[in-house]
Amino acid sequence: TLYGELEVSKNLLQSDINANVRAFRPGFLLIHPQQTKTLLNLGYEFSSSNTACDVLSNFPFYLHEYQDFDAPLTNLLEIPLTNSDVVRDYVLDSLNYPTLVNTWKNVYLKNHANHAPTTLLIHPTKNFKFLAEQSFISQLPGGVVYKTIEGFGDYWKKRALVNLFNCSLFFTGV
């Protein structure tokens, strides 16, 4: 069933609409013990299977082959989710979404103050969710860079290639 969920949906999207599927997020953020290895076998590059609260970080990181710190690291980049349109004990609707948008904005501002990325998960099932996303984006400061999960993952992988310890620094004066 794991291959069914990870491979069939990817193949359908790639064959039916010519999508280039490189990222995966499991329903309900449920993680199968063999999920990382299966994602790697199927050619996925990015995963958003964890919330920032669960992993205690907003920053992307490379997953271990299985859920054990002694397991080998993989090249599958986990991009933790920060904000979502699904909140425990809160049913988002067309009347109350501004309250949740305000929460998203406050989280963003705190992350921004710490130079941390913020990710937003929106389930495109209702028009007001699109309006919530637009409202959130319109309230952010100028100069904010928006990326898809794949775009951010590509940036983060390139960023990881920079080795600051091998850079030559030149100082003038004493």
Side-chain angles (χ1 to χ4, degrees):
T1 61
L2 183 59
Y3 269 93
E5 181 170 350
L6 300 180
E7 186 172 23
V8 171
S9 57
K10 179 181 181 181
N11 289 347
L12 287 172
L13 288 168
Q14 289 179 326
S15 65
D16 290 357
I17 62 171
N18 203 26
N20 182 17
V21 179
R22 301 168 51 211
F24 178 78
R25 183 194 62 83
F28 302 102
L29 298 179
L30 297 174
I31 303 171
H32 188 281
Q34 296 297 316
Q35 178 176 305
T36 299
K37 196 167 192 171
T38 307
L39 288 171
L40 286 166
N41 288 341
L42 295 172
Y44 284 94
E45 298 175 58
F46 311 110
S47 168
S48 282
S49 301
N50 294 282
T51 67
C53 290
D54 287 338
V55 296
L56 303 178
S57 177
N58 289 48
F59 293 96
F61 58 93
Y62 289 96
L63 289 167
H64 290 269
E65 191 172 301
Y66 50 92
Q67 295 177 347
D68 186 327
F69 287 121
D70 292 332
L73 277 176
T74 69
N75 63 351
L76 184 63
L77 189 65
E78 175 67 23
I79 302 172
L81 297 168
T82 311
N83 291 324
S84 174
D85 61 346
V86 176
V87 180
R88 189 176 298 136
D89 302 325
Y90 187 87
V91 177
L92 185 66
D93 62 35
S94 61
L95 300 176
N96 68 6
Y97 76 81
T99 301
L100 189 57
V101 168
N102 192 48
T103 300
W104 295 343
K105 180 181 169 193
N106 289 335
V107 169
Y108 167 81
L109 292 172
K110 290 176 183 178
N111 286 339
H112 182 72
N114 287 300
H115 306 285
T118 299
T119 56
L120 174 62
L121 168 62
I122 294 283
H123 298 81
T125 55
K126 306 279 185 199
N127 189 46
F128 67 83
K129 292 184 178 188
F130 178 67
L131 296 174
E133 181 182 23
Q134 285 182 316
S135 175
F136 171 64
I137 291 170
S138 72
Q139 294 179 49
L140 296 178
V144 173
V145 176
Y146 309 95
K147 294 194 175 287
T148 64
I149 287 292
E150 292 89 353
F152 182 60
D154 288 337
Y155 159 79
W156 201 262
K157 283 186 171 189
K158 288 177 186 171
R159 181 186 181 278
L161 296 175
V162 175
N163 184 346
L164 294 177
F165 297 107
N166 287 337
C167 292
S168 297
L169 300 177
F170 298 96
F171 297 97
T172 58
V174 178

